[in-house]
Amino acid sequence: LTAGNFFNLTLPASANTYITASGQVPGQTVNIKVTQGATVGTVSFGAGFKQASGSFYTGSQVASAVDIVTLISFDSTGLYVSNVNNLI
């Protein structure tokens, strides 16, 4: 995450994109704009990502949908995930 705080990710067709992170610093917030292609893909996260119980991020399952995924670091060991789906 030392490369920046804003990223664009277009999901490949019918494939899972596995996201890992390293180099985060306390207080860092990173935003990822996730865009679906014509055929929807999925996203999964590596170890160290914390998400709300029973409410894991699932990308919008509509072609050309746009989601925003925010990663929040309070320490250097984990990231909290927050998201907004299907922005129009």
Side-chain angles (χ1 to χ4, degrees), residues 39-58:
T39 305
V40 298
T42 60
V43 173
S44 60
F45 295 93
F49 290 87
K50 297 172 179 24
Q51 301 184 58
S53 177
S55 184
F56 293 114
Y57 170 70
T58 302

Side-chain angles (χ1 to χ4, degrees), residues 8-56:
N8 290 296
L9 170 62
T10 300
L11 297 178
S14 302
N16 180 62
T17 299
Y18 185 72
I19 297 175
T20 62
S22 62
Q24 66 267 24
V25 296
Q28 185 176 17
T29 301
V30 173
N31 290 290
I32 305 170
K33 178 182 173 188
V34 179
T35 305
Q36 288 285 7
T39 305
V40 298
T42 60
V43 173
S44 60
F45 295 93
F49 290 87
K50 297 172 179 24
Q51 301 184 58
S53 177
S55 184
F56 293 114

Side-chain angles (χ1 to χ4, degrees), residues 66-86:
V66 174
D67 300 341
I68 301 296
V69 176
T70 301
L71 309 175
I72 305 152
S73 173
F74 288 94
D75 56 39
S76 59
T77 62
L79 290 164
Y80 293 87
V81 178
S82 176
N83 63 278
V84 178
N85 284 25
N86 206 19

